[in-house]
Amino acid sequence: MKIEHLEERILEYKNSIKTVVKKRITWENRTKELIVNTLKAVETTYPVGWKVQELKWIHTNEAVNITFDSFPEDLIDFTNKIPTYQFLQGGALVFSQLHNGDIEIFVTFPILENWIVPENEIVELGVFTPEQITEKLIVEKIDEFLKEIIKWEIPIIKSKLGFKTQ
Protein backbone atom coordinates (compact mmCIF):
# COMPACT_ATOMS: atom_id res chain seq x y z
CA MET A 1 0.00 0.00 0.00
CA LYS A 2 1.34 3.42 -1.01
CA ILE A 3 0.90 6.11 1.59
CA GLU A 4 3.66 8.53 0.51
CA HIS A 5 1.13 10.66 -1.34
CA LEU A 6 -0.40 11.60 2.02
CA GLU A 7 2.76 13.37 3.15
CA GLU A 8 1.89 16.52 1.20
CA ARG A 9 -1.65 16.61 2.65
CA ILE A 10 -0.34 15.97 6.19
CA LEU A 11 2.11 18.86 5.78
CA GLU A 12 -0.72 21.11 4.54
CA TYR A 13 -2.82 20.08 7.53
CA LYS A 14 -0.04 20.93 9.99
CA ASN A 15 0.52 24.27 8.26
CA SER A 16 -3.20 25.07 8.47
CA ILE A 17 -3.08 24.53 12.24
CA LYS A 18 -0.02 26.80 12.47
CA THR A 19 -1.88 29.48 10.50
CA VAL A 20 -4.89 29.35 12.84
CA VAL A 21 -2.64 29.49 15.91
CA LYS A 22 -0.78 32.52 14.48
CA LYS A 23 -4.09 34.30 13.84
CA ARG A 24 -5.28 33.57 17.39
CA ILE A 25 -1.98 34.84 18.84
CA THR A 26 -2.31 38.05 16.79
CA TRP A 27 -5.90 38.46 18.00
CA GLU A 28 -4.86 37.95 21.61
CA ASN A 29 -1.71 40.09 21.53
CA ARG A 30 -2.76 42.95 19.24
CA THR A 31 -6.10 42.92 17.45
CA LYS A 32 -8.53 42.51 20.35
CA GLU A 33 -6.86 45.31 22.32
CA LEU A 34 -6.87 47.59 19.25
CA ILE A 35 -10.59 46.99 18.72
CA VAL A 36 -11.43 47.53 22.41
CA ASN A 37 -9.35 50.72 22.65
CA THR A 38 -10.72 52.17 19.42
CA LEU A 39 -14.34 51.39 20.34
CA LYS A 40 -13.86 52.80 23.86
CA ALA A 41 -12.38 55.99 22.41
CA VAL A 42 -15.45 56.33 20.18
CA GLU A 43 -17.75 55.55 23.12
CA THR A 44 -16.13 58.33 25.18
CA THR A 45 -15.79 60.87 22.35
CA TYR A 46 -19.36 60.44 21.10
CA PRO A 47 -21.62 59.72 24.12
CA VAL A 48 -24.78 58.52 22.39
CA GLY A 49 -25.69 55.80 24.87
CA TRP A 50 -23.51 53.01 23.60
CA LYS A 51 -21.11 50.79 25.49
CA VAL A 52 -18.27 48.44 24.62
CA GLN A 53 -18.44 44.78 25.64
CA GLU A 54 -15.96 41.93 25.50
CA LEU A 55 -17.67 38.58 25.00
CA LYS A 56 -16.61 34.96 25.29
CA TRP A 57 -18.49 32.80 22.83
CA ILE A 58 -18.64 29.03 22.86
CA HIS A 59 -15.26 27.39 23.51
CA THR A 60 -12.41 29.48 22.16
CA ASN A 61 -14.27 32.11 20.16
CA GLU A 62 -14.29 35.66 21.46
CA ALA A 63 -15.93 38.88 20.35
CA VAL A 64 -15.89 42.59 21.03
CA ASN A 65 -18.87 44.79 20.31
CA ILE A 66 -20.24 48.26 20.72
CA THR A 67 -23.95 48.30 21.43
CA PHE A 68 -26.66 50.87 22.05
CA ASP A 69 -27.39 50.49 25.76
CA SER A 70 -29.22 53.68 26.68
CA PHE A 71 -30.76 56.75 25.14
CA PRO A 72 -28.49 59.74 24.38
CA GLU A 73 -28.75 62.05 27.41
CA ASP A 74 -28.93 65.22 25.35
CA LEU A 75 -32.15 63.99 23.67
CA ILE A 76 -34.07 62.95 26.79
CA ASP A 77 -35.94 66.29 27.06
CA PHE A 78 -36.83 66.01 23.37
CA THR A 79 -38.27 62.50 23.68
CA ASN A 80 -40.17 63.43 26.84
CA LYS A 81 -42.48 65.40 24.54
CA ILE A 82 -43.96 62.02 23.62
CA PRO A 83 -44.49 60.11 26.89
CA THR A 84 -45.10 56.81 25.09
CA TYR A 85 -41.76 56.93 23.24
CA GLN A 86 -39.68 53.90 24.12
CA PHE A 87 -35.97 53.53 23.45
CA LEU A 88 -35.15 50.17 21.86
CA GLN A 89 -32.03 48.72 23.41
CA GLY A 90 -29.66 46.72 21.32
CA GLY A 91 -28.21 46.99 17.92
CA ALA A 92 -24.51 46.19 17.91
CA LEU A 93 -21.40 46.25 15.80
CA VAL A 94 -19.70 42.93 16.49
CA PHE A 95 -16.10 41.88 15.83
CA SER A 96 -16.25 38.11 16.31
CA GLN A 97 -13.37 35.68 16.09
CA LEU A 98 -14.22 32.69 13.93
CA HIS A 99 -13.03 29.11 14.46
CA ASN A 100 -10.19 29.67 11.99
CA GLY A 101 -8.93 32.82 13.72
CA ASP A 102 -10.37 35.26 11.18
CA ILE A 103 -12.56 38.14 12.38
CA GLU A 104 -16.13 38.46 11.14
CA ILE A 105 -17.64 41.92 11.44
CA PHE A 106 -21.42 42.21 11.46
CA VAL A 107 -24.35 44.35 12.61
CA THR A 108 -27.21 43.12 14.78
CA PHE A 109 -30.41 45.08 15.31
CA PRO A 110 -32.52 45.84 18.39
CA ILE A 111 -35.04 43.15 19.30
CA LEU A 112 -38.62 44.36 19.07
CA GLU A 113 -40.95 42.90 21.68
CA ASN A 114 -43.99 41.17 20.14
CA TRP A 115 -42.58 41.75 16.68
CA ILE A 116 -41.86 38.97 14.23
CA VAL A 117 -38.31 39.44 13.05
CA PRO A 118 -36.52 36.94 10.81
CA GLU A 119 -34.13 34.80 12.84
CA ASN A 120 -30.50 35.81 12.77
CA GLU A 121 -31.18 39.11 11.07
CA ILE A 122 -27.70 40.50 10.71
CA VAL A 123 -25.78 42.45 8.12
CA GLU A 124 -22.33 41.09 7.46
CA LEU A 125 -19.69 43.76 6.92
CA GLY A 126 -16.86 41.40 6.04
CA VAL A 127 -14.39 38.80 7.23
CA PHE A 128 -10.79 39.82 7.81
CA THR A 129 -7.58 38.30 9.11
CA PRO A 130 -6.46 39.75 12.45
CA GLU A 131 -3.57 41.46 10.64
CA GLN A 132 -6.01 43.36 8.40
CA ILE A 133 -7.79 44.98 11.35
CA THR A 134 -6.59 48.58 11.72
CA GLU A 135 -7.96 51.63 13.50
CA LYS A 136 -8.99 53.00 10.09
CA LEU A 137 -10.94 49.81 9.28
CA ILE A 138 -12.63 49.82 12.70
CA VAL A 139 -13.76 53.44 12.23
CA GLU A 140 -15.01 52.63 8.71
CA LYS A 141 -17.06 49.74 10.14
CA ILE A 142 -18.49 51.99 12.87
CA ASP A 143 -19.58 54.37 10.10
CA GLU A 144 -21.22 51.48 8.19
CA PHE A 145 -22.87 50.30 11.43
CA LEU A 146 -24.38 53.73 12.06
CA LYS A 147 -25.67 53.86 8.47
CA GLU A 148 -27.33 50.45 8.94
CA ILE A 149 -28.92 51.49 12.25
CA ILE A 150 -30.20 54.74 10.70
CA LYS A 151 -31.74 52.71 7.83
CA TRP A 152 -33.31 50.43 10.43
CA GLU A 153 -34.66 53.38 12.45
CA ILE A 154 -36.00 55.27 9.42
CA PRO A 155 -36.47 52.82 6.56
CA ILE A 156 -36.93 54.17 3.07
CA ILE A 157 -40.50 53.45 1.96
CA LYS A 158 -40.32 52.17 -1.58
CA SER A 159 -44.03 51.93 -2.26
CA LYS A 160 -47.21 52.77 -0.42
CA LEU A 161 -49.32 49.94 0.89
CA GLY A 162 -52.43 49.47 -1.22
CA PHE A 163 -51.15 51.47 -4.17
CA LYS A 164 -49.50 50.21 -7.31
CA THR A 165 -46.37 52.02 -8.38
CA GLN A 166 -45.41 52.09 -11.99
Side-chain angles (χ1 to χ4, degrees):
M1 176 180 203
K2 273 190 155 183
I3 57 172
E4 301 94 38
H5 69 280
L6 288 178
E7 283 183 31
E8 183 180 347
R9 202 63 60 228
I10 296 296
L11 184 60
E12 285 177 9
Y13 172 69
K14 287 180 178 180
N15 286 333
S16 71
I17 292 173
K18 286 179 184 176
T19 299
V20 170
V21 169
K22 285 178 186 175
K23 288 179 187 179
R24 290 188 170 277
I25 289 170
T26 302
W27 164 264
E28 196 59 42
N29 294 337
R30 185 193 71 82
T31 308
K32 182 171 63 170
E33 183 179 351
L34 175 65
I35 294 168
V36 168
N37 291 341
T38 304
L39 294 180
K40 283 187 176 186
V42 169
E43 174 188 22
T44 304
T45 305
Y46 304 100
V48 293
W50 48 17
K51 73 174 183 179
V52 176
Q53 301 174 321
E54 293 183 59
L55 309 167
K56 295 269 188 194
W57 298 106
I58 299 170
H59 303 296
T60 58
N61 290 35
E62 295 182 347
V64 176
N65 76 16
I66 189 164
T67 183
F68 288 109
D69 184 55
S70 62
F71 200 75
E73 285 185 32
D74 60 333
L75 293 178
I76 289 176
D77 288 339
F78 184 69
T79 59
N80 284 341
K81 293 177 183 179
I82 301 176
T84 58
Y85 182 82
Q86 182 183 2
F87 171 71
L88 299 172
Q89 249 184 331
L93 174 64
V94 182
F95 295 79
S96 179
Q97 186 183 49
L98 299 173
H99 70 283
N100 67 355
D102 286 340
I103 312 304
E104 180 180 26
I105 305 173
F106 58 91
V107 173
T108 64
F109 298 96
I111 297 172
L112 302 172
E113 195 173 315
N114 300 324
W115 189 264
I116 299 171
V117 178
E119 259 187 59
N120 301 325
E121 186 170 318
I122 66 168
V123 174
E124 186 176 307
L125 301 181
V127 176
F128 303 88
T129 65
E131 294 83 9
Q132 291 175 301
I133 305 290
T134 62
E135 184 178 295
K136 181 179 185 283
L137 179 77
I138 296 165
V139 171
E140 288 171 2
K141 296 307 173 187
I142 294 169
D143 183 64
E144 288 180 49
F145 164 61
L146 289 169
K147 288 176 184 174
E148 290 294 333
I149 292 296
I150 292 165
K151 280 194 304 192
W152 181 85
E153 290 276 355
I154 306 175
I156 299 169
I157 299 172
K158 294 190 178 161
S159 63
K160 292 183 180 180
L161 202 58
F163 294 92
K164 253 187 172 174
T165 56
Q166 294 184 21

